[in-house]
Amino acid sequence: SKNSYLFNGIAPNVNVGYPHIGQLIPFEVSKYCQELMDIPLMIQIPDDMLSVFDVESIVKESDSIKNHINHILALGFDVEKLFIFRNTTQCADMYPSILKIAKGIKFSKAARLFNVSETMNIQQVNFPANQIAPILYTSFRNLFYS
């Protein structure tokens, strides 16, 4: 189907600056599946996660993200069918999906499922919707509807 794609993601490890082997293995599986099914692969980089959960890490974020992307590209994906995106740059297209997901999750359920507590800031409470949104192809209107 023209709206089918694989989805994977990686949270940048700012303490080390590059992905470890445990983070790269799922990308090897994704590469195999992409070749087998001949469909696009979307890779989410939640660059907003660091600023939402750890303000101290914002400074290191950019170089770490570039290193992670370079390590992923080195695995040899078909770049014609690869879309690596950062939450902060894809947010406008994902926002309708984020709203739909957030509306469908009651706070009481989110508190249980995502370990939400009253000490969290409002963006931390909404962050799961940002992470879930890429599973909906409507999050990629710019790719599927152009």
Side-chain angles (χ1 to χ4, degrees), residues 67-137:
N67 287 338
H68 279 67
I69 291 171
N70 286 337
H71 278 81
I72 291 167
L73 291 173
L75 296 174
F77 287 99
D78 179 353
V79 294
E80 295 293 319
K81 294 184 176 136
L82 180 66
F83 181 61
I84 300 175
F85 66 95
R86 298 165 77 150
N87 282 1
T88 54
T89 58
Q90 186 66 19
C91 190
D93 280 345
M94 290 194 315
Y95 199 67
S97 298
I98 291 169
L99 290 175
K100 185 176 186 178
I101 292 162
K103 185 178 178 182
I105 301 173
K106 302 294 179 215
F107 183 79
S108 60
K109 185 171 275 190
R112 288 190 314 272
L113 289 175
F114 306 120
N115 203 24
V116 173
S117 74
E118 60 187 42
T119 61
M120 297 172 81
N121 67 52
I122 195 69
Q123 185 54 36
Q124 289 172 324
V125 174
N126 191 55
F127 191 71
N130 295 10
Q131 291 298 98
I132 296 167
I135 66 169
L136 302 175
Y137 73 90

Side-chain angles (χ1 to χ4, degrees), residues 55-78:
V55 178
E56 303 277 327
S57 299
I58 295 172
V59 178
K60 300 179 190 175
E61 183 176 349
S62 186
D63 287 339
S64 179
I65 290 170
K66 289 175 189 171
N67 287 338
H68 279 67
I69 291 171
N70 286 337
H71 278 81
I72 291 167
L73 291 173
L75 296 174
F77 287 99
D78 179 353

Side-chain angles (χ1 to χ4, degrees), residues 1-21:
S1 159
K2 76 174 195 163
N3 294 336
S4 297
Y5 59 92
L6 296 167
F7 169 70
N8 203 333
I10 188 167
N13 183 342
V14 295
N15 295 325
V16 178
Y18 53 87
H20 57 73
I21 190 72

